[in-house]
Amino acid sequence: MSKKRVLSGIQPTHNSFHLGNYLGAIKQWVELQKDNDTFYCVVDLHALTIETDPKLLENRTLLSVAQLIAIGIDPKLCTLFIQSHVPAHNQLAWVLECITGFGEAGRMTQFKDKSQKGGADRTNVGLFTYPILQAADILLYQADFVPVGEDQRQHVELTRDLGQRFNNKYKEVFNIPQPQIIKSLAKINDLQDPNSKMSKSAASMTGVVELLESADTIIKKFKSSVTDAGKEIKFNEKEKPGISNLITIHSAFSGKSINDIENEFAGKGYGDFKLQVAEIVVEALNPIRTRTLELMDDKAELLNMIKLGSEKANLIAEKTLSEVYSALGLIAKG
Ligand code: TYM
């Protein structure tokens, strides 16, 4: 049986990934490398929708590549690349923009949230077309599966719609992908606001646990996490969102079931539990932080490690793009 094609991406919009990115997406990426044909990209063009100092963006892109490798993304097993190294992403995005309805793009909830927060004057057109560039990222590689967190489901649905629309209108060029979302990890919540997802754009970072921060800071963040009324360690997302979020995090790192965790902490208080979760997280993140910093010591070597990745990505992307252009009636260069 031929291997399934998997594609996913992550934005270099922050100095460090956070626990939501790690548990909701990247941990799956590592697993999927073994038995699938995997493509992972750092989507630096998407990050331009947020104005960033150029030096900072450069550093964050490298830090993103380094973190992915430190977590276990292996450039020898998968195709790891930087989005802007493959021009076909922008080229296909334009084609897809021409078959996307204005209203359809305006219904994307992430766009609505972000543009409402920023107001019309601070919202750029790139933010509006963002999901269409994401659709191009996915369709170019004929992906079967897109491993992401729940917040990206709508963008993958749009990708499916656009792929199908193109296929029906012009020619069967695109494979139609499916989102791959692990239900229990699809939404890791903010430690201070356990009804909202942990997010890079949170107003305060006190509830956001970053992979590269120090053990002391991580412990402090868990110790001050918001918990719920009552004192039992029980999983109940509605009544105990804070404790349930901590149980999910514990389970993801320790590999223990929710039931086993509840039994282990029966009769113990919230304080003990928070400290235990913090210690498990610190222990797991420590080697990731150390390895990331080592990799960042030699930036040229880091880029060298993914050079083959962008060459391979370009070959596949160009092939799909030329099929698209030909289906549209655009004349080949000859
Ligand atoms: P980004 O960079 O915001 O996040 C990267 C991945 O982390 C997941 N994630 C979460 N999962 C669980 N709980 C959370 N609190 C949490 N926060 C983030 C996201 O769902 C995502 O999988 N638009 C994408 C980047 C992108 C992309 C693509 C993804 C661009 N092109 C093509 C897949 C395929 C984004 O902003 O992810």
Side-chain angles (χ1 to χ4, degrees):
M1 208 178 70
S2 71
K3 286 183 173 182
K4 293 289 180 199
R5 176 74 54 82
V6 169
L7 178 130
S8 202
I10 188 156
Q11 293 195 80
T13 44
H14 220 255
N15 288 341
S16 170
F17 298 148
H18 58 68
L19 276 192
N21 302 135
Y22 178 57
L23 299 179
I26 311 168
K27 214 162 161 254
Q28 281 199 73
W29 298 9
V30 175
E31 288 303 309
L32 289 164
Q33 288 178 118
K34 293 179 202 144
D35 301 317
N36 300 279
D37 185 15
T38 44
F39 285 71
Y40 298 130
C41 62
V42 174
V43 292
D44 53 350
L45 297 170
H46 277 112
L48 296 179
T49 54
I50 298 172
E51 197 182 328
T52 312
D53 170 73
K55 276 268 159 261
L56 204 56
L57 177 61
E58 200 181 313
N59 199 48
R60 286 175 176 177
T61 303
L62 291 171
L63 264 169
S64 300
V65 174
Q67 278 175 93
L68 290 176
I69 296 176
I71 291 168
I73 299 297
D74 181 348
K76 291 198 191 80
L77 284 180
C78 72
T79 305
L80 177 61
F81 64 103
I82 295 174
Q83 186 189 32
S84 65
H85 291 182
V86 186
H89 289 243
N90 297 80
Q91 293 166 301
L92 179 60
W94 173 254
V95 171
L96 297 176
E97 280 168 33
C98 295
I99 61 165
T100 307
F102 196 82
E104 190 176 29
R107 278 193 293 277
M108 295 294 110
T109 47
Q110 264 194 0
F111 169 72
K112 286 200 284 193
D113 289 350
K114 287 187 182 168
S115 56
Q116 260 160 24
K117 270 189 207 150
D121 288 343
R122 288 182 53 209
T123 302
N124 55 55
V125 176
L127 207 56
F128 185 62
T129 55
Y130 176 114
I132 308 171
L133 178 59
Q134 180 165 351
D137 299 342
I138 300 167
L139 293 173
L140 268 180
Y141 298 91
Q142 309 288 5
D144 296 300
F145 295 108
V146 186
V148 283
E150 184 59 42
D151 61 341
Q152 297 300 313
R153 185 190 292 279
Q154 198 188 29
H155 290 171
V156 182
E157 290 301 334
L158 177 73
T159 304
R160 291 170 54 84
D161 289 346
L162 295 179
Q164 253 145 6
R165 192 170 306 156
F166 185 95
N167 285 353
N168 294 340
K169 227 174 158 164
Y170 299 102
K171 194 176 166 219
E172 284 281 318
V173 172
F174 296 121
N175 187 43
I176 305 302
Q178 280 179 33
Q180 179 155 327
I181 298 173
I182 296 187
K183 204 163 167 269
S184 61
L185 300 175
K187 190 171 168 237
I188 301 298
N189 288 332
D190 188 289
L191 299 191
Q192 288 299 319
D193 177 9
N195 287 308
S196 304
K197 72 163 184 175
M198 191 175 281
S199 161
K200 289 180 242 200
S201 52
S204 147
M205 292 301 281
T206 355
V208 179
V209 179
E210 297 186 300
L211 306 194
L212 301 183
E213 60 197 352
S214 71
D216 283 353
T217 313
I218 295 178
I219 290 173
K220 228 182 259 160
K221 285 185 176 176
F222 275 101
K223 273 188 173 167
S224 65
S225 61
V226 165
T227 37
D228 322 282
K231 45 184 189 246
E232 267 185 310
I233 317 290
K234 276 269 174 224
F235 190 89
N236 180 335
E237 280 177 307
K238 251 204 174 124
E239 317 233 313
K240 287 173 159 282
I243 283 296
S244 303
N245 193 35
L246 295 181
I247 294 178
T248 302
I249 294 172
H250 186 307
S251 167
F253 280 102
S254 65
K256 291 182 182 167
S257 71
I258 291 177
N259 236 331
D260 286 350
I261 296 169
E262 286 175 345
N263 290 337
E264 189 180 330
F265 288 92
K268 296 201 176 124
Y270 285 168
D272 280 348
F273 182 56
K274 286 183 190 178
L275 197 62
Q276 262 283 311
V277 181
E279 280 169 1
I280 291 174
V281 172
V282 163
E283 202 181 303
L285 296 187
N286 203 16
I288 293 176
R289 196 176 73 235
T290 311
R291 182 76 186 120
T292 302
L293 298 179
E294 272 170 23
L295 287 162
M296 285 298 282
D297 268 348
D298 190 347
K299 293 179 182 154
E301 173 56 20
L302 190 59
L303 285 177
N304 210 20
M305 286 169 86
I306 63 164
K307 194 162 170 270
L308 282 179
S310 79
E311 281 166 16
K312 188 170 167 213
N314 265 298
L315 279 181
I316 294 172
E318 276 166 19
K319 180 171 178 287
T320 308
L321 186 71
S322 76
E323 286 173 31
V324 167
Y325 276 11
S326 144
L328 287 165
L330 300 177
I331 293 174
K333 266 189 287 183

